[in-house]
Amino acid sequence: MFSLSLLQFLTLLFILLYLFSLLRILVASATSSSSSSNGHKSYPLIGSLISFHQNSHRLIHWFTHLLSVSPSQTIVLNRLGWKNKMIITANPANVEYILRSNFENYPKGKPFTDILGDFLGMGIFNVDGELWSTQRKLASHEFSTKSLREFMISVLEEEITTRLIPLLESSIENGGVLDMQDVLKRLAFDTICKISLGWDPCCLDYTRPVPALATAFDVAAGASAMRGTAPANWVWKAKRLFNFGSERRLKEAVGVVHSSVTEIIRERRKQMAGSESRRDLLSRFISAGHGDELVRDMVISFMMAGRDTTSSAMTWLLWLLTWHPTVKKNILDEVATIVNDHDQSNKSQSLNFEDLKKMDYLKACLCESMRLYPPVLWDSKHAGDDDVLPDGTPVHKGNRVMYFPYGMGRMKSLWGKDCLAFKPDRWFTEPGVLKMETPYKFPVFQGGPRVCLGKEMAFMQMKYVVASVLKRFELIPVCLEKPVLLPMLTAHMDGGFKVRVHRRSDFDPL
């Protein structure tokens, strides 16, 4: 039988009284509301809560609209009280100030690290200060090594040759429908687990059951994302106190993730004690002398970063290419030229690091796709002290300050009147000369001291997979309607990307 402790009873009573008070204030203050210059209403005490609720199903589009009509491309919203301000910006000068110029004043902050704390613990993506700096130095060294890069390429070659291509061939033979978003998530999870843990979950082998770790990872990521959409932190903390709903699912999933990774760490320590040499990140972190808990949190953070981000970016690009045949032909021409320039004795025509570096047009396509559909739609910091952003927006200590890559990709002031169009050519200063925009105009990989360490490895992985798929197969979408972007910790395609697969040789040349 369910029973409440005194603390739980008092907490529940407080929540009910608080909600009742909010309702009374809402009714009483409806006539005293104020409209901001951006068109949303703010009420005493509850701030923009009503607007948030009304737009909860379309937050990214609402934010984008408010930013587009703001002269400074910055908006300020109040959430449950005057002190609970959220500042959202699509202004590159502000983004640079937050991520680089005044980096020390804009850490992740406790409100943010609390949200992901149960899942990511003390991993590099969820900490500030000295603990972040220590992990950053260690990870930076490892990501710069040639051996890790070569290990990644060998993992990709094996995964694509032995699993991805046979899976797509099998889909052709049985004439079935394949969800490429699911395929790419499985591929990315296999790849990042091999690189991070030296462990093969075999997710891309559809004849095997999905490992408990992979399923739990999905649940934990989704439930953690739900925390970020709550109107205030006390809402999800109350659910956690009562072990209710998404918080109960999160607790169970995190338990599976942590226990599974901890067991892999313990087994690896035994192997390393026997002088077995390994190239994965886990073995490198263990060799650095860190304890099991910190090593666990570090590898889980890298698994999260390397799994959903790359699969999201590739899914959206492959969908875009189905509607832009000329762009797809340009990619194929580039890949064919590079493959033909290979050592002719390389009968497998497998791609190496130097080949991938030359694929500038494919990189431009990836950048253009991520401009429109960034894997991480927004990122938040919390001000350490009072401040003023370059555009004049005042910031108070504790305010949540958020830069918004999704909205930035849709600002005419940044990308021109055709900002909603998929045009890879915008990434070239002249034919054949690739340009990379400043990370503060295109902050998909962050910028400043926290710029993504795995940026180049991510590009190599995405190039390898996309090139390998496109040169062999044609993907025909089952649904002709534009897919809906689902904002979670990373951006997903709602309902997946369902396709029928055909061999490219069965189609007329583009």
Side-chain angles (χ1 to χ4, degrees):
M1 180 178 293
F2 179 73
S3 61
L4 294 177
S5 67
L6 178 59
L7 175 61
Q8 290 175 325
F9 174 77
L10 292 176
T11 303
L12 180 59
L13 180 61
F14 169 77
I15 293 172
L16 292 174
L17 290 174
Y18 190 86
L19 292 174
F20 179 70
S21 299
L22 286 180
L23 180 61
R24 291 187 62 189
I25 293 169
L26 172 60
V27 174
S29 62
T31 58
S32 61
S33 65
S34 62
S35 294
S36 75
S37 59
N38 297 309
H40 68 275
K41 292 183 177 181
S42 182
Y43 297 87
L45 186 59
I46 63 170
S48 304
L49 183 61
I50 296 177
S51 295
F52 268 97
H53 176 71
Q54 292 173 335
N55 292 281
S56 59
H57 64 291
R58 55 181 297 274
L59 275 182
I60 57 174
H61 308 297
W62 182 48
F63 288 167
T64 299
H65 168 69
L66 295 179
L67 290 166
S68 68
V69 298
S70 167
S72 63
Q73 273 72 64
T74 301
I75 56 175
V76 181
L77 303 175
N78 295 315
R79 302 178 71 188
L80 287 180
W82 293 277
K83 293 184 178 180
N84 193 12
K85 287 185 177 180
M86 178 165 60
I87 300 166
I88 308 172
T89 189
N91 186 320
N94 288 347
V95 177
E96 182 173 11
Y97 185 76
I98 294 164
L99 296 183
R100 186 183 67 83
S101 305
N102 202 11
F103 170 77
E104 296 297 333
N105 193 48
Y106 293 95
K108 293 278 188 180
K110 192 174 186 302
F112 181 89
T113 56
D114 280 351
I115 288 175
L116 294 175
D118 289 328
F119 184 25
L120 300 185
M122 304 301 287
I124 188 172
F125 300 121
N126 203 47
V127 292
D128 295 307
E130 187 61 32
L131 188 54
W132 167 78
S133 180
T134 300
Q135 294 183 57
R136 177 81 182 188
K137 290 176 182 177
L138 173 60
S140 179
H141 170 72
E142 298 301 343
F143 273 82
S144 64
T145 59
K146 181 181 179 182
S147 60
L148 184 62
R149 184 183 70 201
E150 292 174 343
F151 179 48
M152 181 197 71
I153 296 295
S154 67
V155 166
L156 282 171
E157 181 177 1
E158 179 184 25
E159 193 72 16
I160 289 171
T161 302
T162 64
R163 289 181 181 157
L164 179 60
I165 293 175
L167 174 64
L168 296 177
E169 290 283 359
S170 176
S171 179
I172 295 172
E173 297 303 324
N174 62 40
V177 172
L178 206 58
D179 181 357
M180 281 304 296
Q181 177 169 258
D182 183 62
V183 169
L184 293 171
K185 283 180 65 175
R186 289 169 178 257
L187 169 66
F189 194 66
D190 279 356
T191 302
I192 196 60
C193 281
K194 288 180 178 180
I195 294 171
S196 294
L197 296 173
W199 171 70
D200 184 3
C202 302
C203 286
L204 201 52
D205 185 347
Y206 277 74
T207 65
R208 300 191 183 195
V210 177
L213 175 57
T215 303
F217 227 91
D218 264 340
V219 174
S224 296
M226 289 185 67
R227 285 181 171 183
T229 63
N233 280 358
W234 64 263
V235 175
W236 65 260
K237 287 183 178 180
K239 290 172 66 178
R240 182 175 64 179
L241 176 65
F242 292 103
N243 195 29
F244 174 74
S246 59
E247 286 298 315
R248 181 174 183 173
R249 295 193 297 273
L250 176 61
K251 181 179 180 180
E252 293 170 350
V254 167
V256 173
V257 172
H258 285 188
S259 62
S260 299
V261 175
T262 297
E263 181 59 33
I264 293 172
I265 292 172
R266 290 172 179 167
E267 184 62 31
R268 183 58 42 77
R269 286 192 185 277
K270 292 179 183 178
Q271 295 169 350
M272 293 174 68
S275 300
E276 181 177 337
S277 177
R278 304 293 289 260
R279 295 188 288 172
D280 52 80
L281 285 172
L282 172 58
S283 300
R284 296 163 189 253
F285 292 157
I286 289 175
S287 297
H290 295 296
D292 284 3
E293 186 172 347
L294 182 56
V295 170
R296 179 201 70 194
D297 292 347
M298 290 174 70
V299 294
I300 288 175
S301 286
F302 284 112
M303 288 166 64
M304 170 59 70
R307 177 204 186 196
D308 288 345
T309 52
T310 55
S311 62
S312 171
M314 289 188 289
T315 298
W316 286 101
L317 175 60
L318 289 176
W319 171 75
L320 284 164
L321 292 177
T322 62
W323 303 105
H324 295 84
T326 300
V327 174
K328 182 161 55 178
K329 181 181 184 304
N330 291 339
I331 294 175
L332 289 168
D333 288 346
E334 178 179 70
V335 173
T337 299
I338 291 171
V339 170
N340 289 337
D341 287 344
H342 258 285
D343 180 354
Q344 295 302 311
S345 65
N346 183 5
K347 298 184 183 298
S348 69
Q349 293 189 333
S350 60
L351 300 168
N352 58 41
F353 182 74
E354 293 303 319
D355 297 329
L356 297 170
K357 280 176 60 178
K358 297 174 186 176
M359 294 182 182
D360 285 345
Y361 189 78
L362 179 49
K363 184 173 184 177
C365 292
L366 285 163
C367 289
E368 181 69 350
S369 176
M370 289 189 288
R371 179 184 70 83
L372 293 169
Y373 301 100
V376 180
L377 302 178
W378 50 51
D379 187 31
S380 296
K381 314 295 181 184
H382 286 81
D385 288 302
D386 292 351
D387 199 7
V388 178
L389 297 180
D391 67 359
T393 302
V395 180
H396 299 292
K397 181 178 180 179
N399 283 170
R400 180 182 177 184
V401 183
M402 185 174 84
Y403 66 95
F404 188 35
Y406 179 87
M408 295 181 76
R410 286 162 169 73
M411 293 293 114
K412 293 180 181 179
S413 59
L414 297 180
W415 300 98
K417 293 181 180 179
D418 62 351
C419 62
L420 298 182
F422 176 66
K423 296 179 61 177
D425 287 344
R426 73 173 82 242
W427 293 88
F428 292 90
T429 54
E430 57 185 86
V433 181
L434 182 69
K435 68 172 179 179
M436 287 306 297
E437 296 285 356
T438 165
Y440 311 110
K441 177 181 176 181
F442 180 62
V444 170
F445 294 95
Q446 291 208 51
R450 278 191 180 265
V451 66
C452 177
L453 287 170
K455 174 181 176 181
E456 293 309 317
M457 288 183 64
F459 271 119
M460 293 299 110
Q461 177 180 344
M462 293 187 292
K463 287 179 180 180
Y464 200 121
V465 175
V466 172
S468 298
V469 171
L470 290 184
K471 73 179 184 177
R472 295 175 175 87
F473 304 102
E474 181 78 15
L475 307 179
I476 308 299
V478 172
C479 179
L480 300 182
E481 295 181 3
K482 183 177 180 179
V484 175
L485 187 150
L486 189 63
M488 299 174 64
L489 286 185
T490 52
H492 292 279
M493 191 177 288
D494 193 15
F497 179 35
K498 309 293 178 54
V499 302
R500 294 189 185 278
V501 185
H502 298 268
R503 291 184 186 88
R504 179 154 299 286
S505 57
D506 295 337
F507 279 74
D508 292 332
L510 290 170

